[in-house]
Amino acid sequence: MAGVTIKNLTKRFGNVIAVNNVSLEVKDREFLVLLGPSGCGKTTTLRCIAGLDTPDEGEIYIGDRLVNDLAPKDRNVAMVFQSYALYPHMTVFDNIAFPLKMKKLPMSEIEKKVKEVAEFLKISHLLNRKPGQLSGGEKQRVALGRAIVRNPDVFLMDEPLSNLDAKLRIYMRAELKRLQKELGVTTIYVTHDQVEAMTMADKIAIMNQGVLQQVGTAFEVFNNPSNLFVAGFIGSPPMNFINCTLKEENGSYYLDAGAFTVSISASLGKIISEKASSSEIILGVRPEDVIIEEKPVAKNLIRAEVYVTEPMGSEIVIDLKVNNEIIKVKTLKEFKLNIGDEVWIRFSEDKIHIFDRKTEKTIV
Ligand SMILES: Nc1ncnc2c1ncn2[C@@H]1O[C@H](COP(=O)(O)OP(=O)(O)OP(=O)(O)O)[C@@H](O)[C@H]1O
Ligand SMILES: [Mg+2]
């Protein structure tokens, strides 16, 4: 068992900086999800840890062993790929047994281990089949079996569920999480799906354009995003962003969005004016934090028009038009709203986020 430590990892491909000075610590037994949009450097980071790519700069430790100069086979990590990479001409048994045969273990021991792993993954009845005769979920389990049987220090998983249909993917998420906890093997799991990341991770590391943006629990990255990118990437539908100018009149502060204004407390106003690089800021409000009223029940409500409604079963997403901006609202309440109806909205101050428009860093 071992944790993984990455120090100042940089990897370039020609002019592209795929991974840019990334430092990251994954604790022993932890399930870390590496999350970010396509091309942000997730696979490259994983391949550097596995030894399939050579870093240009930085160090990689598995436990307290510096592994930069170790061949992939000597790192004791097991990688599970998106494509499963099963050998099509071999049976399930032989696929799982393959890494043990490479290690030249005695046949009796190989048989025992493969059977144990197959039982654990509930695929004992499939051992004589070939990959072509398996469903996507079954192939996935065989690929996992081949990784588990090696008893590695670390699992590296690159979007292992992305080829499965939606229902099976949700089922396998829970299975994999459970499996990881039972085995207690340190795992680095790559995905671009923020819901998958939130549901599976002990800790999420969010990357963008090769740069690590934030590391934290699902709760932390959702509630306290460190910058505009993380705020917009985590959460579905994404956070609403509204360009505003901070203004002050006789000690009263408000945010001027052009089409409407939002009054804020003097204490919040002061914090923003102290921390922001200018009065140009971005107001962020999650769709679930917009309060919607059918009547103008209070002063200072913002008038909006229903643009479209998106029922999702237990909840509904309402797209509202405020002048030329669309503000999304997610609510559990039942509203009978039609396109073009007039409604009123407000944001409670303890739910809003404020970003510096120039640096894109979180102010509040
Ligand atoms: N072998 C390579 N040669 C040249 N450029 C590469 C190579 N591998 C990756 N890149 C570039 O490095 C960047 C990071 O790629 P990487 O595969 O790590 O992204 P990713 O986050 O895994 O994306 P995805 O979610 O699409 O799999 C991209 O701009 C990619 O085009
Ligand atoms: Mg990738």
Side-chain angles (χ1 to χ4, degrees), residues 32-33 35 197-198 201-206 214-218 221 234:
L32 178 115
V33 174
L35 172 70
M198 302 277 276
D202 293 325
K203 214 160 73 183
I204 304 176
I206 300 161
Q214 185 172 4
V215 184
T217 62
V221 297
I234 301 276

Side-chain angles (χ1 to χ4, degrees), residues 74-217:
D74 297 327
R75 296 190 183 196
N76 205 21
V77 301
M79 191 144 166
V80 179
F81 298 90
Q82 178 177 359
S83 60
Y84 317 135
L86 299 176
Y87 303 108
H89 58 285
M90 290 186 195
T91 61
V92 168
F93 180 96
D94 288 331
N95 264 283
I96 299 176
F98 188 78
L100 303 180
K101 284 185 181 163
M102 295 297 284
K103 280 195 199 167
K104 302 207 164 49
L105 258 56
M107 199 53 209
S108 58
E109 198 174 324
I110 292 178
E111 226 162 81
K112 184 165 161 272
K113 286 197 171 178
V114 172
K115 281 187 177 153
E116 260 173 30
V117 167
E119 211 156 290
F120 184 65
L121 291 169
K122 303 192 182 71
I123 49 172
S124 303
H125 59 296
L126 304 174
L127 286 173
N128 295 322
R129 292 205 205 161
K130 297 218 169 124
Q133 301 165 307
L134 302 175
S135 73
E138 288 165 347
K139 276 185 213 161
Q140 182 56 58
R141 263 177 266 176
V142 176
L144 282 171
R146 196 174 51 184
I148 292 169
V149 82
R150 295 172 51 189
N151 197 18
D153 286 333
V154 181
F155 283 135
L156 302 173
M157 304 194 181
D158 195 355
E159 313 232 8
L161 305 184
S162 60
N163 282 337
L164 306 180
D165 67 48
K167 201 169 157 192
L168 189 55
R169 195 158 64 226
I170 290 168
Y171 171 77
M172 283 303 290
R173 262 185 215 161
E175 288 284 294
L176 247 178
K177 185 172 175 177
R178 170 89 203 189
L179 187 78
Q180 194 268 344
K181 289 292 166 239
E182 277 177 37
L183 294 170
V185 176
T186 310
T187 300
I188 304 179
Y189 182 102
V190 160
T191 181
H192 61 267
D193 179 340
Q194 54 105 8
V195 177
E196 195 164 291
M198 302 277 276
T199 52
M200 296 181 81
D202 293 325
K203 214 160 73 183
I204 304 176
I206 300 161
M207 284 180 80
N208 188 33
Q209 297 186 342
V211 179
L212 189 62
Q213 307 285 314
Q214 185 172 4
V215 184
T217 62

Side-chain angles (χ1 to χ4, degrees), residues 13 16 18 37-44 159 192:
F13 295 106
V16 178
S38 184
C40 75
K42 305 180 295 293
T43 296
T44 307
E159 313 232 8
H192 61 267

Side-chain angles (χ1 to χ4, degrees), residues 44 111 113 117 172 223 230 266 274-275 285 303 306 324 326 350:
T44 307
E111 226 162 81
K113 286 197 171 178
V117 167
M172 283 303 290
N223 290 296
V230 175
E274 273 165 26
K275 287 199 184 168
V285 191
R303 203 190 80 85
V306 176
N324 284 324
I326 295 287
D350 57 342

